[in-house]
Amino acid sequence: MKVGVLAVQGDFAEHIAVLKRLGVDTAEVRLPRDLEGVEALIMPGGESTTISYLMDLYDLKGPIKEMAGMGVPIWGTCAGMIMMARELTDKEPTPMGLMDILVTRNAFGRQIDSFEADLEIKNLGHEAFRAVFIRAPVIFDVGQGVDVLAHLPDGKPVAVQQRNLLATAFHPELSPDTRLHQYFLNLK
Ligand code: GLN
């Protein structure tokens, strides 16, 4: 199986390292032609305005939307989740509208810009998942077809799935725990 990781900006190298540990082939995606033969795609964390700008520059949004519609598993983490959203409460960037979620960027305020939390994630068993949040976005609203896989103690959803599409507000590629990457590979 070949998994593409969007590699225009952000922490794509960390995702690739996890995927390699799990024994799958990887491809760094910078141009539409890099998507050839890719059976699942991860959009990493980083700076969503920069990622969006570069995706427009290289004409990546169209082909990725098409893949999403064809049932290819796509997973956005943090800035990648921002790109997956139907709508943002922020002016920028323009998200890709792949998942029926309403998202706000940098939603945790300055003091807790970054934090870790133990999450119970649906379908991953009872063992807590140590999740790393870095200037994380928050999901304010989810549509009917969206399954909430995990939320913070205050009820905010931080991991959601809609058919072949997955989004997490945190950075699973920065935890030693590979269960979410494995779960994503099984969406194939
Ligand atoms: N704050 C970033 C943004 O709004 C996302 C942060 C991240 O990906 N860790 O794009």
Side-chain angles (χ1 to χ4, degrees):
M1 177 171 181
K2 181 161 132 185
V3 180
V5 181
L6 182 67
V8 292
Q9 194 264 341
D11 78 332
F12 54 89
E14 285 77 1
H15 274 291
I16 287 174
V18 179
L19 293 168
K20 287 201 166 138
R21 260 201 285 153
L22 294 175
V24 294
D25 281 344
T26 59
E28 292 185 8
V29 174
R30 294 193 178 82
L31 294 170
R33 65 160 185 258
D34 300 328
L35 291 166
E36 238 166 74
V38 160
E39 294 161 277
L41 178 75
I42 296 177
M43 300 201 286
E47 185 53 44
S48 57
T49 49
T50 307
I51 291 175
S52 179
Y53 171 79
L54 292 170
M55 287 180 90
D56 283 331
L57 193 67
Y58 298 120
D59 284 327
L60 282 163
K61 287 182 182 170
I64 291 174
K65 277 187 198 171
E66 236 170 74
M67 287 165 71
M70 281 166 19
V72 174
I74 301 185
W75 178 14
T77 61
C78 205
M81 179 178 95
I82 294 168
M83 295 311 301
M84 300 288 282
R86 164 177 56 83
E87 196 183 342
L88 303 183
T89 58
D90 312 79
K91 279 206 208 94
E92 283 187 309
T94 303
M96 291 170 69
L98 302 182
M99 292 182 80
D100 195 2
I101 53 176
L102 173 67
V103 168
T104 294
R105 298 172 57 201
N106 303 324
F108 290 97
R110 206 172 263 179
Q111 269 149 33
I112 48 164
D113 268 356
S114 303
F115 61 98
E116 296 187 13
D118 283 325
L119 302 176
E120 184 163 336
I121 302 184
K122 192 172 160 186
N123 306 328
L124 295 194
H126 283 299
E127 199 191 319
F129 190 99
R130 188 80 180 154
V132 180
F133 292 81
I134 303 169
R135 299 190 66 226
V138 81
I139 301 171
F140 266 117
D141 195 21
V142 303
Q144 269 189 353
V146 178
D147 194 11
V148 175
L149 301 182
H151 49 77
L152 291 172
D154 65 4
K156 289 192 185 94
V158 288
V160 290
Q161 180 176 352
Q162 188 173 5
R163 297 183 305 271
N164 52 314
L165 306 173
L166 194 63
T168 51
F170 51 95
H171 285 264
E173 73 286 4
L174 299 182
S175 302
D177 196 329
T178 58
R179 281 179 294 163
L180 259 175
H181 283 79
Q182 266 160 331
Y183 181 74
F184 173 65
L185 297 177
N186 285 331
L187 296 181
K188 173 74 194 148

